Every structure is written in structure tokens, then in C-alpha cells.
Amino acid sequence: MRIGFVGLGVMGRPMAANLVAAGHELSLYRGKPGLDGHHCESAVEVAERAEVVVLMLPDTPDVEGALFGADGVAEGLKPGSLVIDMSSISPTATKSFAQRIEALGADYLDAPVSGGEVGARDATLTIMVGGRPEVFERAQPILETLGKNITLIGGTGAGQTAKVANQIIVGLTIEAVAEALLFAEKAGADPAVVREALMGGFASSRILELHGERMINQTFEPGFRIRLHRKDLGLAVQAAAELDLALPNTAATQQLMNAAIADGDGDLDHSVLYRTLLRGRS
């Protein structure tokens, strides 16, 4: 297929590389050269050259700008084109973006991902999709090139809602693991041995396995930058206010992430919350 890809960062670059390896013809924008494909000068050029445009951008304003800004994707779409937004952004904004794209005669899916840089590289991402079933079916060959656990959650915006829920669970679990290992260490136990013991019990999790090891070794290269995870928890807190819903632990974890960023750790892995808590103890 002729695929346009906008956003070649930590996640987008390996995802685009997997599409190239699968034999798709790519038009690329917003990233350093080095990938096979046609490197475009604008998002509108990407849309003009492609049947399907994939977005993988940091935040809601980035997606809005890429779609509807000057020389944006919307200006180059043809009737029957498909836009797949794989960024993690506001569910409310996603519904508005989809309506505007569909008014141009094109189709739209929100399809945010979980799995981090490793999942992007290994094509094992979890992909949570919102949109019409027939559009999802059309997009499946692309999604199956990028991930393993691919689920149509519901209508437009449902994929983003599922991703926000995912980020709540991940963020709060990272914070819980950080507290537990810090407690073990300060109580005089070897946190590495404690972690190993917990991995055989009910507290076992992928986060305890991977991020727990990062915390013990204090190796915080991303991974997934805590700055981006804070943004995702901000989406959760904002949506909770709109729903008159209390998410107290989500809000507290977002505040810890604010502290980590204030400490200069914003571009480190979200497991750096361990160091934030350690600093708070001093």
C-alpha cells in the first residue's frame, strides 16, 4: 500500500521501518532521514502521495496542527483516503478531528498503542482502536504489521479512552512498585531480592519485572519518557473533571511526575519516579 507516515520519533521511526520491511511504499514527514521512502516537505505532500496516512505524534495540538494546519494532511486527502492516528491524545478532540476528516470524504481511526520503544521495534504493540468496523477491517493489514494485540474497542474516540485507561494503570503501578522497592531498601532488605521474591507471587507484573529492575539499577534511559506519561495522566484528569469523576490516585501520580520533570528528569523513563520518591525522602 501507499502509506504516509507523519512523526518519526522514538516510537514512529521503528513503526515506519516495520512498514517498509513489510513491502509498503512510504512517504515520510517529521523525522530525520535514514529510512527508506520518500521524505516529504510537508504533511499535505504526504497525504497527496498516500492512500493511508498514519500519525504518531506527541500530543493533541501536534495532531491538530498536522491535520488541519497550513499545508496539513486535510488539504491533501482524496475521497476514500484513510487517516489512522496512533498518537495518544484527547478522546474528546479525537471525535472532533474524525468528524472534520469524514466531512472531506475520508475515513478515520484512532489507534493509540502500548508497548513502548521495544514493542514498536519488535512489532508487538498493543493497539486500541476506535472507529467503524468496516474501516477497522480495511486497516487491519497495516495494524497487524505493527502489533500483536489489536482490538476494536468501539466507536470513534474509544481507542483513545482505552489508552488513557491503560496509562492510568501503568502510571499507578509504576508508582506502587517504586514505593514498595524504596520501602524495602530503607527497611534494610535487599530490594533486588525482594523483587525476585515478589515476582513469584500475586504482586508479580510486567512493570515489577522490567521497571523494577530499572529502579534497582537506577538506569532510566527511555523507554517511555515521563514527560509523555504526565501528558497522558493529564488527559485522564481532564476527562475525569468533564465526567464529574474523582481519580485521586491518578491526580497524585501526575503530581509526582510534575516533580520529576521539575527535577530535570522529564526526558528519562517513567520508572524514574523511584528517584523522585527517593529525593522526596531526603
Side-chain angles (χ1 to χ4, degrees):
M1 298 179 70
R2 290 180 288 108
I3 300 174
F5 206 105
V6 180
L8 302 170
V10 171
M11 296 287 289
R13 192 173 187 84
M15 292 166 68
N18 286 330
L19 291 171
V20 171
H24 296 289
E25 177 187 329
L26 259 66
S27 298
L28 307 165
Y29 180 60
R30 280 191 61 161
K32 296 177 182 178
L35 284 175
D36 289 339
H38 179 83
H39 288 265
C40 298
E41 297 297 323
S42 65
V44 67
E45 184 184 352
V46 167
E48 289 170 346
R49 293 176 56 89
E51 307 165 64
V52 179
V53 177
V54 177
L55 306 177
M56 191 62 187
L57 296 165
D59 204 348
T60 307
D62 300 290
V63 173
E64 183 172 22
L67 288 175
F68 306 113
D71 294 325
V73 167
E75 295 182 17
L77 290 175
K78 300 170 287 294
S81 296
L82 169 61
V83 174
I84 306 176
D85 180 25
M86 306 191 77
S87 320
S88 295
I89 67 167
S90 162
T92 303
T94 290
K95 294 176 183 179
S96 171
F97 297 167
Q99 290 172 353
R100 294 170 69 180
I101 293 297
E102 289 167 354
L104 300 173
D107 292 320
Y108 193 98
L109 292 176
D110 52 291
V113 305
S114 179
E117 184 180 3
V118 172
R121 185 189 66 224
D122 296 343
T124 57
L125 293 167
T126 291
I127 306 176
M128 297 153 271
V129 186
R132 299 196 309 276
E134 65 272 19
V135 181
F136 172 67
E137 184 176 350
R138 176 185 172 191
Q140 275 189 301
I142 294 172
L143 302 179
E144 288 170 356
T145 301
L146 301 174
K148 295 297 184 187
N149 182 23
I150 304 164
T151 307
L152 178 62
I153 305 296
T156 303
Q160 296 294 353
T161 297
K163 177 58 187 289
V164 171
N166 178 86
Q167 296 302 80
I168 292 172
I169 293 171
V170 171
L172 270 62
T173 306
I174 288 174
E175 197 277 337
V177 168
E179 284 195 15
L181 294 180
L182 183 60
F183 165 77
E185 179 183 356
K186 297 310 172 185
D190 184 337
V193 177
V194 170
R195 171 183 163 276
E196 186 176 336
L198 297 181
M199 284 299 298
F202 201 50
S204 178
S205 70
R206 188 73 168 150
I207 288 171
L208 179 62
E209 178 187 357
L210 295 180
H211 291 316
E213 184 175 25
R214 288 182 170 189
M215 293 172 190
I216 289 165
N217 296 330
Q218 296 210 34
T219 53
F220 300 121
E221 297 79 12
F224 184 69
R225 288 178 172 83
I226 197 167
R227 187 183 308 281
L228 293 177
H229 203 151
R230 179 187 65 168
K231 176 263 298 181
D232 292 340
L233 293 192
L235 294 174
V237 171
Q238 177 185 353
E242 294 170 358
L243 296 168
D244 293 327
L245 176 67
L247 297 179
N249 292 323
T250 301
T253 301
Q254 185 196 23
Q255 288 301 315
L256 276 174
M257 291 180 175
N258 285 341
I261 293 166
D263 286 337
D265 290 342
D267 290 321
L268 297 179
D269 189 78
H270 44 184
S271 58
V272 81
L273 274 185
Y274 176 86
R275 191 159 75 185
T276 309
L277 289 168
L278 181 62
R279 285 170 173 158
R281 183 200 63 83
S282 302

